[in-house]
Amino acid sequence: MKKIVLLTVNDFKHVFRDRMLCVFLLAPLLLTCFVRFFVPYISEVYPIIIDYHIYIMMFGGIQTSIMFGFITAFIILEEKDENVLQAIRVLPITPEYFIVYRLLFATVFSSLSAFLMLVFSGLVWPGLWNSFLLAIQYGLAAPFITLIIATYAKNKVEGLAFFKGIDLLILMPILSFFLPGLWKYLFSPIPMFWTYELYSNAIKGSGTIFAFFCGTVVYLLIFAFLISQFKKRVFNL
Amino acid sequence: MIKVKDLIYTYPGTNKPAINKISFTIEKGEVFGFLGPSGAGKSTVQKILFKLLSGYSGLAEIDGKAVKDQDKTFYEKIGVGFELPNHYLKLTALENLNFFRNFYSSSQDPLLMLKTVGLEKDANKKVSDFSKGMKMRLNFIRSFIHNPDILFLDEPTSGLDPVNSRIIKDIILDLKQQGKTIFITTHQMHDADELCDTVAFLVDGNIMAMDKPQNLKLQYSKRTVEVMVENELTKHEFFLNDLGNNQEFITLVRNKTINTIHSKEASLDDIFIQVTGKTLA
Ligand SMILES: Nc1ncnc2c1ncn2[C@@H]1O[C@H](COP(=O)(O)OP(=O)(O)OP(=O)(O)O)[C@@H](O)[C@H]1O
Ligand SMILES: [Mg+2]
């Protein structure tokens, strides 16, 4: 536990001392204000927007959650750049401990900010229980981003390019709601598809456990692959 | 304490082994040095021993246990000083030391340690504002902040001015006094000569010679003495054996004013060239 506190304090020091990461830390706050204040205002002017509130929330929620994924990825990229990862490898903690800690760091904070956004936006309320489920699914987007960027990007510039690409990829499943029939399942290998599905079902009042279950399974499969890649490419294990 | 036998290692994606079947042992309390030119494989051997590289063949044992079977408590008893500085640049020197030391079950006072290498004034400066030499000194003290029994120091004096290099060497000698087992690498023969109980010459992944520095010097020295006297340009050379009965030598030192006398022992540099056909630089 002491080690987790140590690592967390250290990570936040990094965020606060880096201008770009501070901006990324502010993003969830700005997005929440956007859906809380701006969207209702503009909806009064253009009532047609009300139909799209759920998509705005899907977008806002996922954008909020990936910020911590990005922040964590950048901390790791910096550790890679400065060879600090080598120094961490000779500490009395296992590589698995370190990796799991980093992924939990990303997940916990991103789940938390996604949850707060659902609560404070007051826009499309899925109910408390479903908000928990949704927050978990949103939160898992963070380690997804972290693993991809930290494993495959060689430096921060590449990291930013990856970020933009992944951002597009994870927004794509929102299109599924505009597709007829079963075509939407084309997006089902992208785990965020199930997050949006969960949200939509919650609003329709249908069951959400199935989407939660599928989302979790897809995430876990992807994580198993990405973690093994990370260990091989970053830790030479 | 450290035992390596028939160690072979090839980096993934290359076909020539970086380490070519080498064997050596390091006893408890010994300072063992790898002396060799750049690319010889010095760092590679160390990385295998502290488990940053796997996939080697042969035996690599520490305290009677293969390194691949060591668990995380292994890192409580070994300390690693990397060849390149690796710190969190956005943190201060003190924050860096505090971060790393808190992973261990016990550790030394970081401020006192900073003081021993002349960094106490810079304790609260960000490492990004450090010079290379300052970063190296920080690397060095971090390596034994948890009081390990075994220390791996990869070129501990590289990039340091003579004064700081002296300070580091004195600390290493002090650690030796405390009974630590120390494995250093260097391409500076003076350091190897001064610090090491045993030195191994490493070239292209092979150990070409291994012995105490004094023994190597004795073995490869010419065992002669060279005398220069006043008003003469030519040098006189005598064999050391039975020098006291050498009439020519005795007459010379009795009757002439002597300018210089040197025994012609070889330096490790000379020996390295003789043995390996390569220079250290
Ligand atoms: N990551 C790597 N991948 C492939 N080859 C490598 C790698 N690291 C080192 N090598 C090769 O292995 C050999 C030994 O390298 P090593 O770093 O052990 O040398 P060294 O003796 O420590 O040199 P130096 O004095 O420059 O630090 C070199 O030929 C080097 O090119
Ligand atoms: Mg080296």
Side-chain angles (χ1 to χ4, degrees):
Chain A
M1 196 60 206
K2 174 187 152 202
K3 289 173 184 171
I4 294 196
V5 174
L6 201 64
L7 283 160
T8 311
V9 170
N10 194 45
D11 283 350
F12 272 110
K13 270 187 197 162
H14 274 86
V15 178
F16 289 129
R17 288 179 197 183
D18 187 303
R19 193 167 304 151
M20 183 175 73
L21 295 186
C22 279
V23 171
F24 277 94
L25 197 63
L26 275 179
L29 209 67
L30 295 176
L31 277 160
T32 306
C33 290
F34 173 80
V35 289
R36 177 79 181 87
F37 302 110
F38 183 74
V39 175
Y41 164 77
I42 195 92
S43 306
E44 265 178 37
V45 186
Y46 304 103
I48 177 102
I49 292 178
I50 294 173
D51 291 347
Y52 295 93
H53 276 181
I54 184 159
Y55 305 119
I56 293 175
M57 282 302 290
M58 285 173 182
F59 170 83
I62 201 76
Q63 292 300 314
T64 296
S65 348
I66 60 177
M67 293 309 164
F68 274 98
F70 182 77
I71 288 173
T72 312
F74 260 53
I75 295 176
I76 300 178
L77 280 183
E78 196 157 281
E79 287 171 333
K80 228 160 68 163
D81 265 3
E82 306 303 336
N83 282 319
V84 187
L85 280 185
Q86 279 196 338
I88 289 172
R89 286 284 300 284
V90 299
L91 288 174
I93 53 172
T94 60
E96 289 77 15
Y97 182 95
F98 179 73
I99 297 170
V100 168
Y101 155 74
R102 272 289 150 76
L103 299 182
L104 278 178
F105 174 85
T107 313
V108 167
F109 287 103
S110 103
S111 284
L112 203 66
S113 43
F115 184 75
L116 292 179
M117 171 172 237
L118 288 166
V119 172
F120 284 120
S121 67
L123 221 47
V124 194
W125 177 238
L128 191 62
W129 167 246
N130 283 328
S131 292
F132 278 127
L133 295 186
L134 258 179
I136 293 172
Q137 291 291 306
Y138 273 133
L140 290 174
F144 175 83
I145 292 250
T146 303
L147 282 168
I148 294 180
I149 298 181
T151 308
Y152 299 106
K154 289 198 188 63
N155 49 49
K156 293 187 184 180
V157 179
E158 266 191 38
L160 262 175
F162 269 78
F163 178 67
K164 287 178 192 150
I166 301 167
D167 200 9
L168 266 181
L169 176 85
I170 66 184
L171 287 174
M172 264 176 13
I174 295 184
L175 293 176
S176 68
F177 295 101
F178 303 93
L179 292 177
L182 294 176
W183 280 103
K184 66 175 182 180
Y185 289 104
L186 227 53
F187 292 104
S188 62
I190 304 177
M192 292 76 187
F193 167 82
W194 298 103
T195 313
Y196 306 140
E197 190 74 2
L198 199 168
Y199 205 159
S200 156
N201 287 350
I203 300 308
K204 283 192 292 204
S206 44
T208 49
I209 292 295
F210 180 70
F212 182 81
F213 175 79
C214 290
T216 309
V217 169
V218 175
Y219 266 126
L220 290 182
L221 287 176
I222 292 176
F223 289 162
F225 171 75
L226 287 175
I227 289 176
S228 76
Q229 283 282 299
F230 182 87
K231 281 166 83 171
K232 201 152 76 197
R233 286 168 175 253
V234 182
F235 276 173
N236 303 312
L237 283 172
Chain B
M1 178 130 280
I2 299 179
K3 192 168 171 198
V4 169
K5 196 154 188 296
D6 298 334
L7 185 71
I8 302 177
Y9 182 78
T10 309
Y11 278 99
T14 63
N15 43 27
K16 192 175 153 289
I19 301 302
N20 215 339
K21 213 171 186 197
I22 66 171
S23 306
F24 62 90
T25 12
I26 307 178
E27 302 299 334
K28 184 170 164 41
E30 187 179 3
V31 179
F32 180 91
F34 261 170
L35 188 62
S38 185
K42 305 183 294 294
S43 305
T44 305
V45 174
Q46 289 206 336
K47 283 181 187 160
I48 289 170
L49 287 173
F50 50 71
K51 290 182 70 175
L52 277 197
L53 294 175
S54 54
Y56 56 87
S57 75
L59 181 85
E61 253 182 32
I62 291 185
D63 275 346
K65 195 169 170 187
V67 290
K68 55 168 152 282
D69 299 331
Q70 304 273 3
D71 59 10
K72 61 182 175 164
T73 56
F74 174 60
Y75 295 112
E76 291 271 4
K77 69 178 174 203
I78 70 159
V80 178
F82 289 93
E83 75 183 317
L84 293 173
N86 44 10
H87 308 284
Y88 285 110
L89 297 185
K90 291 200 196 93
L91 302 188
T92 66
L94 192 59
E95 284 173 327
N96 265 287
L97 290 180
N98 275 328
F99 174 72
F100 284 100
R101 85 188 175 106
N102 276 309
F103 285 93
Y104 298 104
S105 52
S106 74
S107 61
Q108 309 180 49
D109 180 353
L111 273 174
L112 286 180
M113 296 194 85
L114 284 165
K115 200 164 174 187
T116 59
V117 291
L119 287 175
E120 71 273 22
K121 298 178 308 298
D122 306 295
N124 293 309
K125 203 187 222 177
K126 276 192 197 167
V127 177
S128 54
D129 299 338
F130 272 30
S131 70
K132 160 119 196 287
M134 290 162 82
K135 287 180 189 162
M136 281 310 289
R137 283 182 273 157
L138 188 58
N139 249 31
F140 176 69
I141 52 175
R142 189 184 67 196
S143 69
F144 57 95
I145 199 157
H146 54 298
N147 264 315
D149 297 332
I150 304 171
L151 255 177
F152 294 93
L153 300 172
D154 201 349
E155 301 192 26
T157 58
S158 95
L160 294 183
D161 60 82
V163 175
N164 279 307
S165 176
R166 184 68 261 156
I167 291 172
I168 300 291
K169 283 190 273 187
D170 285 340
I171 297 176
I172 295 175
L173 290 170
D174 188 53
L175 290 166
K176 176 185 156 70
Q177 283 300 310
Q178 295 170 30
K180 312 263 184 222
T181 307
I182 304 172
F183 181 2
I184 75 171
T185 75
T186 176
H187 31 204
Q188 277 160 352
M189 67 93 186
H190 281 297
D191 291 0
D193 199 1
E194 189 186 339
L195 300 172
C196 299
D197 298 311
T198 306
V199 47
F201 291 172
L202 194 73
V203 176
D204 293 335
N206 295 295
I207 291 181
M208 311 290 274
M210 181 162 54
D211 209 333
K212 293 186 185 344
Q214 310 88 285
N215 290 355
L216 285 168
K217 281 189 267 186
L218 279 179
Q219 192 182 338
Y220 289 92
S221 294
K222 274 164 69 191
R223 296 197 47 76
T224 58
V225 61
E226 191 180 84
V227 184
M228 282 190 84
V229 295
E230 209 172 52
N231 298 329
E232 273 183 40
L233 283 174
T234 49
K235 298 169 189 162
H236 302 266
E237 200 169 339
F238 305 97
F239 285 105
L240 281 177
N241 291 349
D242 214 22
L243 189 62
N245 294 320
N246 187 325
Q247 273 312 316
E248 198 189 340
F249 174 76
I250 292 168
T251 323
L252 190 75
V253 294
R254 275 211 181 127
N255 303 325
K256 304 272 181 159
T257 310
I258 291 170
N259 273 353
T260 62
I261 295 188
H262 293 296
S263 61
K264 300 293 286 177
E265 55 187 288
S267 71
L268 281 184
D269 258 341
D270 305 330
I271 303 167
F272 194 91
I273 295 169
Q274 270 191 60
V275 173
T276 69
K278 304 221 168 174
T279 57
L280 274 169

